[in-house]
Amino acid sequence: DAKTTQPPSMDCAEGRAANLPCNHSTISGNEYVYWYRQIHSQGPQYIIHGLKNNETNEMASLIITEDRKSSTLILPHATLRDTAVYYCIVRVASNAGNMLTFGGGTRLMVKP
Amino acid sequence: DVKVTQSSRYLVKRTGEKVFLECVQDMDHENMFWYRQDPGLGLRLIYFSYDVKMKEKGDIPEGYSVSREKKERFSLILESASTNQTSMYLCASSYSGSRSYNEQFFGPGTRLTVL
């Protein structure tokens, strides 16, 4: 799996957009970008994934650069409940184990 | 609403005890996983199962075993608990094949303390 680099922490004002960056310069052509988050004392939660096109769902938007070497997760209107550690993972979409490896992630603090 | 449940949120056991952690999912998922999560070490895979009665070792299987007798249930067993198995244990499940896209659904976790 390609290595990812994320800032260790970020702050965001409640109601504003939270933009979380991820660098994955060694990504290969068949690897997807996945985002998970983990709220304190809870299990991780899947957010969104994409290959090369931008994606949007009810939780967030994912913007992937044209060269696919970086991406940004956007929470359009952050709430206090979005305070969590956000993990960017790059993996092939295969069934070979499907095991996930979380790195350090970005600790997002949403402030009133 | 999809659900992965784990038998206990908090568990305290003594060294040498046999410990059972149960996980149940109601999504008819083929794949099920057991991870442990420790500060500074991230998420590490212990075992996974891609079908009933099938199991595969993950990164750190030593000291653990698993059982999957029914599709919806995946059990993690610590045969003789040790203090270095004090951790947060997370169960997850997912569809297999192209449907999964690594979208794993996690349970709330069991925080196990071994004294």
Side-chain angles (χ1 to χ4, degrees), chain A residues 15 21-22 33 38 41 46 53-54 58-59 65-66 72 78 82 85-86 90:
Chain A
C22 180
V33 180
Q38 189 168 20
S41 296
Y46 164 84
N53 297 324
N54 297 337
E58 65 279 1
M59 288 183 69
T65 57
E66 195 168 338
T72 302
D82 291 322
V85 180
Y86 287 77
V90 173

Side-chain angles (χ1 to χ4, degrees), chain A residues 38 41, chain B residues 6 8-13 19 21 34-46 60 62 64 76 78 81-91 108-115:
Chain A
Q38 189 168 20
S41 296
Chain B
Q6 295 183 227
S8 307
R9 288 301 306 272
Y10 300 94
L11 208 52
V12 179
K13 295 291 182 180
V19 182
L21 302 182
W34 275 107
Y35 295 89
R36 63 178 282 178
Q37 187 173 33
D38 302 286
L41 296 176
L43 209 63
R44 292 181 292 168
L45 181 68
I46 305 171
I60 50 163
E62 296 78 20
Y64 304 94
L76 180 70
L78 287 66
S82 63
T83 55
N84 63 12
Q85 291 178 310
T86 292
S87 186
M88 168 71 91
Y89 289 88
L90 291 159
C91 175
T110 296
R111 186 163 294 281
L112 172 67
T113 301
V114 182
L115 302 175

Side-chain angles (χ1 to χ4, degrees), chain A residues 32 34 36 38 41-46 49 87 91-103, chain B residues 9 31 33 35 37 42-43 45 48 50 59 88 90 94-97 100-104 106-108:
Chain A
Y32 286 72
Y34 299 84
Y36 277 76
Q38 189 168 20
S41 296
Q42 295 184 23
Q45 179 187 22
Y46 164 84
H49 74 275
Y87 297 97
R91 284 189 53 78
V92 295
S94 74
N95 195 42
N98 267 4
M99 60 194 85
L100 295 176
T101 304
F102 286 10
Chain B
R9 288 301 306 272
N31 298 329
F33 310 83
Y35 295 89
Q37 187 173 33
L43 209 63
L45 181 68
F48 68 97
Y50 53 88
D59 300 321
M88 168 71 91
L90 291 159
S94 73
Y95 291 113
S96 65
S100 72
Y101 292 107
N102 289 306
E103 182 180 343
Q104 295 191 11
F106 283 82

